[in-house]
Amino acid sequence: MLLPTALLPGLATAEDWNRNLRWSLDYSIDAQDVSGGRDGSGRLHFLGIDSHNTFRRDGSNSVTTIFKLYAAKTDGMVRYPGFFDSDDDWELVPKIISANFHVSGDGRFNVLVGRPEILYGLEASIDTAGTLRQLITAPNIGLKADWGVGINGEGRRLRYDLTLTRGSGLKYRRGGDPWALTGRFGTTGGDQGFFGTTGAGFSFFSGNVRLPNGRFVERRRVGIDGQWYRGPLGLMTEISVGEDDEADVVAGFAELNLVSRNTRFAGYGQARLFRKKPLAAWQDQKSWALGLRYMPTRRLSFAAQYLRETEILAPRGEETVFQLQMRYRSQQ
C-alpha cells in the first residue's frame, strides 16, 4: 500500500491546494507571409489557459500538475500545424495535461501520467510552446507531446526522463497500433525558460509513429545535445542519427542566441539540416532562421522571425516565411 499512499495527497495533511498555483490566460496571434513554393498569407490564433501547481503534503511535494488547454484557429495560412484539417479550421488543443507524482519525496523518482511533453534533445530544457522560435524535436521524431506514462528524476548533477506513449500525438488513436518510447539522460539545468543553462544530454527514441496525415513511420533515433552560455551569448546544438522505415536519417540543429541584460530583448540565428537516404543517394533538407523577441512587460511580448528554406525533400519549391506574433499572458 506504500505506492498508492505516496501517489494520492492525503486530505487531512495536505496543504492548501492553491498555495503553489500559477496560471495564465494566454492569447497569441501570429501573422504569416509565405513566398516561393506556396504563396499566401494568413493568421493563427491561440487562446487558452496555462496552469502549473505543486501539491504538498507533510512539508514535501506530493504531485505536480500541468494543464495547458487551448482553442486554436487558422485563417488562410498555407503553412499550418498538422492537426488542422485545412487552412480555415479550428481545433481544441490539449498541449500538455499531466500529473507528475513525487514517489520518493526527494525528486529522484517520480511517476508521470497524462499528455506530457516529449523530452528529447534540447526540448528537455527549453520552452518553445506558443513561440515562433522552434527546435527540431517535432520534425525529427514526429511528436512534441503525447498520451502515456513515464518515470523521471533529478539529483544534484543528473536528470533522467523515460516515457512510453501512444505515438499518435494530439489525439489518442489506437488504430494501426502506434507507440513511442523516449528517453533522455543529461545534466540538470533549465527550467523550461526561453533559454536554458549550460549542460549536455543523450537521448533515444523508438516507435511506430502515426503522423497527422494518418501515415505510419517506423522511427529510431539516438542523439546528443549541448548548451553553452557566457554572459549574453548562448550556443545550442543537437544532432541525431537513426532510421525512418529503414532509410538512414541524420538531423542537425545549431543556434546562436543573445539576450539583453534586462532580458527584454532576445535574438537568435538557427540552422537546420535533415539528411535522408531512402535509396542509394542522400537527400538533403536545409533551412535557416533569424528571430527577435521584445518583452516590454512580463505579460506582453512581440516577436518576429524570418525563415528561409534552401533545400527541401517535399515535392514543392523552397519557401521563404516571414512571421510576426503578439502574445499576452495574464500571469496570475
Side-chain angles (χ1 to χ4, degrees), residues 33-241:
D33 182 75
V34 180
S35 59
R38 296 168 295 182
D39 290 317
S41 59
R43 291 163 298 280
L44 177 63
H45 303 263
F46 273 98
L47 174 64
I49 186 168
D50 180 344
S51 72
H52 182 286
N53 198 3
T54 299
F55 297 86
R56 293 176 60 83
R57 183 186 61 184
D58 296 334
S60 62
N61 294 340
S62 180
V63 57
T64 297
T65 61
I66 299 176
F67 184 83
K68 298 184 179 185
L69 182 64
Y70 287 73
K73 175 71 169 65
T74 180
D75 180 14
M77 297 183 74
V78 295
R79 291 172 63 109
Y80 52 84
F83 53 78
F84 287 114
D85 293 328
S86 69
D87 62 357
D88 187 9
D89 189 21
W90 79 275
E91 285 283 347
L92 188 65
V93 182
K95 288 188 176 182
I96 300 177
I97 300 176
S98 67
N100 200 31
F101 295 94
H102 305 290
V103 179
S104 66
D106 59 2
R108 295 178 183 273
F109 181 71
N110 312 301
V111 176
L112 180 67
V113 297
R115 186 174 191 268
E117 183 179 18
I118 300 299
L119 299 184
Y120 182 99
L122 293 169
E123 203 78 43
S125 62
I126 304 295
D127 182 16
T128 62
T131 66
L132 298 183
R133 173 178 176 253
Q134 295 294 309
L135 308 180
I136 62 168
T137 300
N140 185 22
I141 65 174
L143 299 169
K144 196 168 182 180
D146 201 17
W147 298 96
V149 297
I151 59 173
N152 58 81
E154 185 171 336
R156 294 183 59 185
R157 296 183 178 180
L158 297 176
R159 175 183 174 88
Y160 68 91
D161 294 91
L162 296 168
T163 56
L164 178 61
T165 58
R166 179 72 275 178
S168 57
L170 181 66
K171 298 179 181 179
Y172 189 95
R173 299 182 186 274
R174 293 184 295 176
D177 193 26
W179 62 276
L181 176 65
T182 312
R184 184 180 185 274
F185 301 87
T187 54
T188 60
D191 56 358
Q192 287 289 297
F194 194 75
F195 296 128
T197 58
T198 297
F202 166 79
S203 302
F204 67 86
F205 178 87
S206 180
N208 182 34
V209 181
R210 187 186 192 278
L211 303 181
N213 61 10
R215 189 169 68 89
F216 286 80
V217 178
E218 287 281 351
R219 182 164 283 162
R220 308 285 184 269
R221 294 286 192 278
V222 293
I224 56 174
D225 63 90
Q227 300 178 63
W228 177 87
Y229 297 91
R230 166 105 17 127
L233 288 173
L235 175 65
M236 309 195 313
T237 61
E238 179 178 334
I239 187 167
S240 294
V241 297

